[in-house]
Amino acid sequence: MEKYEKSDELDELLTFKDLMEYFKASDKTITKLLHSKGFPCFRIGKKYYIPKKKLAEWVENHSKTRTDIIMK
């Protein structure tokens, strides 16, 4: 599990619903994304949280190398 050094990184968190809106994707697709290897998220109880900065880095890295992130 990745450690977060700065508290300001935790100030800007997205939720499951935020991801659905951001990617304009179904709940099933977002669930697959959250469970994919290397996706920057963490869970507290049953809720997932995604740091905005880490998501931006992940999207940047994956948009250069893959066009089919979810579609397998």
Side-chain angles (χ1 to χ4, degrees), residues 19 23 25 27-41 55 58 69-70:
L19 282 186
F23 288 114
D27 59 338
K28 186 175 179 180
T29 300
I30 297 302
T31 299
K32 286 181 185 179
L33 183 62
L34 290 172
H35 289 94
S36 65
K37 185 177 180 179
F39 189 76
C41 66
L55 177 62
W58 184 89
I69 296 169
I70 301 295

Side-chain angles (χ1 to χ4, degrees), residues 10-44:
L10 295 176
D11 291 341
E12 303 256 350
L13 297 174
L14 298 173
T15 63
F16 186 92
K17 186 177 177 181
D18 295 331
L19 282 186
M20 286 179 62
E21 292 173 13
Y22 179 79
F23 288 114
K24 295 181 179 31
S26 69
D27 59 338
K28 186 175 179 180
T29 300
I30 297 302
T31 299
K32 286 181 185 179
L33 183 62
L34 290 172
H35 289 94
S36 65
K37 185 177 180 179
F39 189 76
C41 66
F42 63 94
R43 206 170 112 176
I44 299 175

